[in-house]
Amino acid sequence: MTVIRSRHNRRMHRFPRLPLPVLLSTFALTACTGIAPRMSPAERAGVHVEVPAIQRPQGETAAWWFRDGAAQAAARGAMAGRAKNLILFVGDGMSLTTVAAARILEGQRHGGSGEEQRLSWEDFPATALSRTYNTNSQTPDSAGTMSAMATGAKTRLGVLSIAQTAARGDCAGARAAPLLTLWELAAASGMATGVVTTTRVTHATPGATFSHSADRNWESDAEMPEAARAAGCIDIARQMIESPFGNGPDVLMGGGRMHLMPATQRDPEYTDKVGARRDGRDLVGDWLRRHPGGQYAWNAAQFHAAPDDKPLLALFEPDHMQYAHDRPRDGAGEPTLAEMTRAAITRLARDAEGYVLLVEGGRIDHANHSGNAYRALDETIGLSDAVRAAIEMTSADDTLVLVTADHSHTLNFVGYPVRGNPILGKVKGAGGEDGSPGKFALDALGLPFTTLSYANGPGYAGASDRQPEGPKRYEHWVEGVKPARNGRPDLTDVDTEDPDYLQESLYPLKSETHGGDDVGIWARGPGSEAVRGNVEENTAFHFLLQANPRLRAALCAKGLCDANGVPVTLPAPGDFKPR
């Protein structure tokens, strides 16, 4: 096992330093060792933070959410953490059902019955449940949920790292209500930062780290209404590259290069595609100029050849990266999420002050939206491989790793299948609490059914303008859907384990929806013992923040902490920009 211990590593490059006397006294507490001792009973009991009683939801504000999240983390003992490095893994749309089904699929691929398999994070010592609702939506979206985890305050559906006072699409409101993110705070405090995803790097989850937008879809200037541009709003891609906090992301990997390329520039991989930007900006060039010696890669060969002691920008597709299942058909080649995670940690760990890293398995969500359980589970297994890589490269003594999802999906796991039944297959077994374990279970119409199904989405049996009545196949864009005249299809001779099979859905939608149920949080490293119980999603930010002495000290130096040193006051982003 390779363990990167940052005290032996040289700096990747210099970062601006905050003149924070508080840092000195804070670090003096842990100067002799990076090892965080197991919590004493007193520490586990935590620190009490007063939270004002309000009428909910009308009394909720960003400041209240921030203090309430701080209270939840501090009460559980997060302030006892002494983590130098912070890694947040987000399985986008990774419901608990998706986790359970993915573990079984991985186990069955290894020749086991599957149920006993454990994904890499399921061996972590700490777990909690996270409530994912947005401030204006019972069932959330990825923009509002990641904003909660990035800023410590919940917000609306569809916006990125701004307070809930601004409505979606309200440029002026968004400009008046930005929320400081953990990645911005880290960059401004001299730490290295990284963002790794399988989606476009400007998509909702990665976009929430270094941008503030009234609409998650404003990924380039071409996606913005003229009124928003005239009012001074800047697209997400520009904000990610031009961030005033430190040098912005030192490592940025994923897809979505079209949003960083001018419309006059042809894509290097697909001759029929060009950049999306209308303003003529070459943001790849801008990033390279901002990071002297930094490398840009758009294919696997360039990625593997890039020096590991320099900043890295890697954009492997004009749009999202390929699904893992489809990656072999990519002529230019793409790395796995695990390979990107290793590359990010190798570079970031060279910084003596530590790092904050986001790794997103973003296409779990997309496959669930498509009603395709095979790809959703396969992408989840890919995320598990990435988490395993991070565990192998870091030490639990100085690196806090959190694994969670931003929201759920409507994937169902049902039907009393026998032990070891193929998770993507038809149910063999009782089908009820009585029955014959050797035959297909049958519904009340006498038809077999699968273990996995969706409550809604493109797998509905009725005919559409694109596919006839009956079982559906990936990728099915639902248009002109008609009622299923013959009811459920007979799946007896249908290969439901085929990667392109779409699980049945109860009612038709072009895109399967998110779910509103809680998701899991799994944690390992300094401060992880605080991760327990049932918490609001924005508490994930405070688990990370409170476990890192440097970031805590940066906020305390601005007078944002209580008498116990807990950051409880919502920080103003402008206070952390260079003067």
Side-chain angles (χ1 to χ4, degrees), residues 389-426:
I391 295 168
E392 292 170 352
M393 295 186 70
T394 62
S395 169
D397 293 339
D398 67 2
T399 302
L400 174 59
V401 179
L402 254 60
V403 180
T404 189
D406 49 354
H407 56 73
S408 180
H409 269 276
T410 73
L411 182 64
N412 301 307
F413 183 155
V414 298
Y416 300 102
V418 297
R419 178 79 182 266
N421 199 76
I423 190 62
L424 294 165
K426 296 179 280 287

Side-chain angles (χ1 to χ4, degrees), residues 69-79 81 83 86 127-130 149 182 400 402 521 523 526-548 552:
Q72 292 183 56
R76 289 166 169 80
M79 290 290 292
L86 305 172
T127 60
L129 290 174
S130 173
M149 292 188 282
L182 191 72
L400 174 59
L402 254 60
I521 309 176
S528 62
E529 292 189 14
V531 179
R532 62 185 192 273
N534 186 289
V535 298
E536 297 286 1
E537 188 164 44
N538 58 304
T539 308
F541 168 95
H542 297 277
F543 285 142
L544 294 163
L545 170 67
Q546 292 180 22
N548 183 273
R552 291 202 311 258

Side-chain angles (χ1 to χ4, degrees), residues 62 176 254 270-271 282 324 339 405 442 488 518 563 566:
Y270 305 101
T271 57
D282 174 13
E339 289 174 323
L442 304 178
R488 283 197 61 237
D518 294 353
V566 181

Side-chain angles (χ1 to χ4, degrees), residues 90-228:
V90 176
D92 198 313
M94 190 176 69
S95 64
L96 292 173
T97 303
T98 303
V99 171
R103 89 162 70 99
I104 293 174
L105 179 61
E106 183 179 57
Q108 291 176 346
R109 286 177 171 178
H110 293 165
S113 65
E115 298 84 1
E116 67 286 343
Q117 184 74 13
R118 302 178 76 84
L119 298 176
S120 57
W121 58 79
E122 293 186 289
D123 287 321
F124 284 8
T127 60
L129 290 174
S130 173
R131 303 183 184 199
T132 63
Y133 62 93
N134 297 145
T135 59
N136 65 336
S137 186
Q138 195 172 69
T139 298
D141 87 321
S142 296
T145 51
M146 183 58 198
S147 294
M149 292 188 282
T151 70
K154 286 202 176 195
T155 191
R156 293 174 179 264
L157 180 147
V159 304
L160 291 182
S161 297
I162 61 174
Q164 67 188 70
T165 51
R168 185 172 185 176
D170 178 3
C171 173
R175 294 188 68 193
L179 299 176
L180 184 72
T181 75
L182 191 72
W183 284 260
E184 291 170 337
L185 176 63
S189 302
M191 298 175 70
T193 59
V195 177
V196 175
T197 181
T198 52
T199 70
R200 298 187 297 269
V201 295
T202 50
H203 207 237
T205 300
T209 59
F210 279 99
S211 74
H212 309 268
S213 181
D215 196 308
R216 59 176 289 176
N217 294 327
W218 293 356
E219 295 184 53
S220 75
D221 64 317
E223 308 297 325
M224 298 178 65
E226 177 57 37

Side-chain angles (χ1 to χ4, degrees), residues 420-443:
N421 199 76
I423 190 62
L424 294 165
K426 296 179 280 287
V427 173
K428 281 187 178 180
E433 296 190 14
D434 300 306
S436 173
K439 299 179 180 179
F440 286 137
L442 304 178
D443 68 8

Side-chain angles (χ1 to χ4, degrees), residues 20-31 82 548-554 556:
L20 298 177
V22 180
L23 284 173
L24 300 177
S25 59
T26 303
F27 290 137
L29 296 174
T30 55
R82 299 291 184 270
N548 183 273
R550 186 176 187 88
L551 297 182
R552 291 202 311 258
C556 289

